[in-house]
């Protein structure tokens, strides 16, 4: 069954939202790299790729379901944040925002009785739970480390190894 026009439009917007998340994390990775925080930069680089993957996953779904992909301009991400903790808090806030956007898509799928899209979106619902949790843990670690950024780097090195 082809997706509705309303769903098509909202999925196109979500493609942009996911690319924006990717850009924000890349900008954060650059700031961390600049500060010599290699491990933190690595985590955010990886996250950049994941978000790009999310955008492409939605794009493929639109194409497979007789929709039309309309790529939009991606808003410019901030270039810096005052502290590492502020940056990670902004990343967590962004993940929560994305969760809200996914929930809106789910609500539309329910309203339209579009069970295929509802099922497709389940992956994103689960993914958001995981991403909010991991960003929340990272924020907690950053808050505990405070100015001792090398401790945060060591914690992340340990986390990456696990
Ligand atoms: Fe794809 Fe983390 O939002």
């Amino acid at each position: 069954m082809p997706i509705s026009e309303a769903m098509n439009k909202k999925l196109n917007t979500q493609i942009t939202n996911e690319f924006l998340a990717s850009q924000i994390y890349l900008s954060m990775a650059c700031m961390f790299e600049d500060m010599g925080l290699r491990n933190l930069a690595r985590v955010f680089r990886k996250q950049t790729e994941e978000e790009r993957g999310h955008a492409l996953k939605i794009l493929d779904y639109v194409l497979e379901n007789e929709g039309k992909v309309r790529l939009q301009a991606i808003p410019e991400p901030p270039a810096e944040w005052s502290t590492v903790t502020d940056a990670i808090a902004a990343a967590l806030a962004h993940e929560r925002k994305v969760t809200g956007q996914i929930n809106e898509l789910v609500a539309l799928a329910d309203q339209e009785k579009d069970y295929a899209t509802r099922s497709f979106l389940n992956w994103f619902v689960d993914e958001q739970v995981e991403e909010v949790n991991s960003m929340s843990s990272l924020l907690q670690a950053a808050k505990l480390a405070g100015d001792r950024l090398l401790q945060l780097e060591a914690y992340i090195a340990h986390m990456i190894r696990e």
Side-chain angles (χ1 to χ4, degrees):
M1 193 180 85
I3 48 173
S4 73
E5 250 180 65
M7 181 60 80
N8 193 160
K9 205 169 157 209
K10 228 170 161 45
L11 288 171
N12 275 332
T13 301
Q14 194 56 29
I15 292 171
T16 312
N17 293 337
E18 300 289 345
F19 277 131
L20 172 62
S22 178
Q23 290 285 83
I24 290 174
Y25 294 154
L26 187 57
S27 186
M28 287 176 180
C30 292
M31 178 179 118
F32 298 143
E33 190 79 49
D34 227 29
M35 295 172 78
L37 303 168
R38 291 268 165 82
N39 293 336
L40 200 51
R42 242 174 86 188
V43 168
F44 278 80
R45 274 274 181 143
K46 186 169 164 272
Q47 205 52 40
T48 294
E49 292 309 316
E50 281 196 19
E51 297 302 346
R52 186 177 159 75
H54 295 171
L56 295 179
K57 199 176 171 86
I58 298 170
L59 182 149
D60 284 336
Y61 183 80
V62 171
L63 291 176
E64 282 161 10
N65 288 278
E66 300 172 47
K68 290 228 179 313
V69 171
R70 289 280 176 266
L71 294 179
Q72 307 158 356
I74 304 162
E76 186 179 324
E80 55 191 351
W81 291 262
S82 5
T83 63
V84 166
T85 304
D86 278 358
I88 300 172
L92 175 60
H94 195 81
E95 282 304 331
R96 291 200 166 123
K97 192 170 163 186
V98 172
T99 298
Q101 293 160 348
I102 298 294
N103 288 345
E104 277 182 29
L105 281 162
V106 168
L108 180 62
D110 281 345
Q111 190 194 315
E112 293 184 345
K113 295 189 169 42
D114 178 354
Y115 301 116
T117 305
R118 179 69 181 85
S119 169
F120 167 72
L121 290 169
N122 275 341
W123 184 89
F124 284 88
V125 171
D126 295 342
E127 179 72 5
Q128 280 312 118
V129 172
E130 197 192 304
E131 292 199 331
V132 166
N133 274 337
S134 61
M135 207 54 88
S136 186
S137 303
L138 192 56
L139 179 60
Q140 200 172 32
K143 281 182 175 167
L144 283 171
D147 290 338
R148 297 175 304 277
L149 292 171
L150 285 180
Q151 274 186 16
L152 182 63
E153 279 286 278
Y155 167 82
I156 294 168
H158 179 74
M159 223 175 65
I160 293 172
R161 246 182 278 124
E162 269 179 2

